[in-house]
Amino acid sequence: METNTDRRLNRRLSAWGLAALVTTSLTACGTGVSDGPQATSNSASAAEVHAEAQRVYESFAGTQDQHDAAYVLQTYARNGPLDACLEQRGYPEWDWSLSRPYSAPYDALRPSIWFAEIGDRVYSENEIATRPYSEAEKVMNSDEPRPADYEQAIRGCEASTKPASDDEVERGSHPAGASALIEAWRTVLREAGAELGGDPAAYDDCMAAADLPVLEKNSATYDDLAPVMAGEAGKVGPPPAPGQDPGTYTDAWQHLLELEDQVLAADTTCRTDVHDREISNLMPLITEFAEEHAEDIAIAHQGWYEIVARAVQLGYHGQDGPLGK
């Protein structure tokens, strides 16, 4: 059974970590602010618009690797003092980095609803990306008892150390101005989505009318799709490792992908026409955003490289799992 000490410690270590996993995580590392030629007309293909949107967005919002580096800094800010205290008391095996979260891929056009990538496996990709955290959580929630003197050291260190506040953690792990740029980007895309594609409620109505089997199975509505899919993922056991051969997936995981396929098929039906017809008209807006915010983007872009450099000093080089001592 999990002890009261375990519960207190694990809440401190991990309660904060998962809420932000699916909100601002991206897919690549080292994107430059002005790399490559920029399309400026509305004749661009869907692939070109998606690529340019991702490039511009990641330049200020951070890439997936950069977000993972930020999670390293956040975890150290919260757990580093406790780690140092336990080491001083003779328990160097306690690892501050065990509870670090992991980012998931993020489509830069997702705020527009109509123009997000068609066929994007949001649900399963999130599960695969967060697998290392799930594995660490098993260790944190282990029923294996600790020696009494170790428990006493933990309680003493919890009482004597003060973790960083949420504001301190946020300031120390995100570049100046990045949050404002992200919100500005989302506003532009939401407005463009409504102007070019129409009321997003029409998309919601279409998805609600699709009678998705996974929702019927759970007596749920379309508004509950995200938590329902998360619940289904929790039933099928550990997700595949990133890069794992799909031919080796378990039958339970294959079933989850079949449920996701049904969601993707409905999504494709509900917005492909709008997506394909109007997405080229986003390119001028993307170019305008990059030009209008160029100075702030450059500052945020540099800030992400500094975050990665600080994470490297803590032992992070892009690897999964605890970072050790």
Side-chain angles (χ1 to χ4, degrees):
M1 294 294 293
E2 185 182 30
T3 68
N4 290 335
T5 298
D6 289 327
R7 293 189 187 99
R8 291 196 306 272
L9 183 58
N10 290 337
R11 278 200 299 269
R12 180 171 175 180
L13 293 178
S14 62
W16 62 277
L18 294 181
L21 285 180
V22 296
T23 57
T24 55
S25 306
L26 304 169
T27 56
C29 180
T31 307
V33 176
S34 59
D35 298 339
Q38 311 303 308
T40 57
S41 73
N42 62 356
S43 62
S45 68
E48 290 170 333
V49 174
H50 278 286
E52 179 64 358
Q54 201 71 22
R55 185 195 70 81
V56 171
Y57 184 75
E58 289 182 355
S59 69
F60 61 83
T63 67
Q64 187 173 359
D65 184 71
Q66 289 166 345
H67 275 261
D68 281 340
Y71 281 138
V72 168
L73 298 189
Q74 290 178 11
T75 307
Y76 185 77
R78 294 182 185 278
N79 299 337
L82 184 61
D83 183 280
C85 177
L86 286 169
E87 184 168 5
Q88 290 173 358
R89 295 188 181 213
Y91 297 97
E93 67 273 17
W94 194 86
D95 192 338
W96 62 268
S97 67
L98 179 62
S99 65
R100 69 184 178 101
Y102 297 82
S103 61
Y106 183 78
D107 181 354
L109 294 183
R110 193 177 298 171
S112 67
I113 296 180
W114 296 109
F115 302 114
E117 190 79 53
I118 300 292
D120 189 10
R121 287 192 174 276
V122 174
Y123 305 105
S124 58
E125 285 183 352
N126 285 343
E127 295 297 325
I128 291 172
T130 58
R131 171 179 167 139
Y133 181 87
S134 299
E135 293 175 342
E137 196 171 35
K138 294 177 183 177
V139 177
M140 291 186 287
N141 294 329
S142 172
D143 291 336
E144 183 177 348
R146 300 187 184 100
D149 54 351
Y150 192 5
E151 291 282 0
Q152 183 177 358
I154 290 173
R155 289 194 294 270
C157 285
E158 284 185 306
S160 64
T161 60
K162 181 180 179 181
S165 69
D166 290 344
D167 286 343
E168 290 171 332
V169 171
E170 183 72 16
R171 288 195 303 271
S173 60
H174 286 84
S179 296
L181 286 167
I182 291 170
E183 187 54 41
W185 175 269
R186 291 174 176 169
T187 297
V188 167
L189 285 184
R190 284 194 294 264
E191 293 176 351
E195 181 178 348
L196 296 173
D199 188 347
Y203 170 79
D204 293 338
D205 292 342
C206 179
M207 290 295 291
D211 296 327
L212 294 171
V214 70
L215 296 179
E216 294 179 1
K217 170 185 174 183
N218 288 276
S219 301
T221 67
Y222 172 65
D223 290 338
D224 302 316
L225 180 58
V228 164
M229 289 298 293
E232 290 296 317
K235 300 174 185 177
V236 300
Q244 182 175 332
D245 180 0
T248 65
Y249 288 177
T250 65
D251 291 343
W253 186 259
Q254 292 285 7
H255 176 65
L256 180 69
L257 294 182
E258 290 171 3
L259 294 177
E260 187 177 39
D261 285 339
Q262 294 165 353
V263 175
L264 295 178
D267 174 73
T268 299
T269 298
C270 288
R271 64 186 181 89
T272 293
D273 287 348
V274 172
H275 176 279
D276 293 351
R277 183 179 66 248
E278 299 290 349
I279 191 169
S280 64
N281 291 312
L282 287 180
M283 186 64 92
L285 299 178
I286 295 168
T287 301
E288 180 181 354
F289 186 96
E291 293 174 349
E292 179 181 348
H293 299 281
E295 183 175 348
D296 290 336
I297 288 174
I299 293 172
H301 186 70
Q302 179 59 34
W304 282 112
Y305 280 105
E306 293 170 358
I307 284 170
V308 171
R310 287 160 53 205
V312 167
Q313 293 176 346
L314 294 172
Y316 175 67
H317 301 282
Q319 73 274 36
D320 294 337
L323 302 179
K325 293 296 181 180

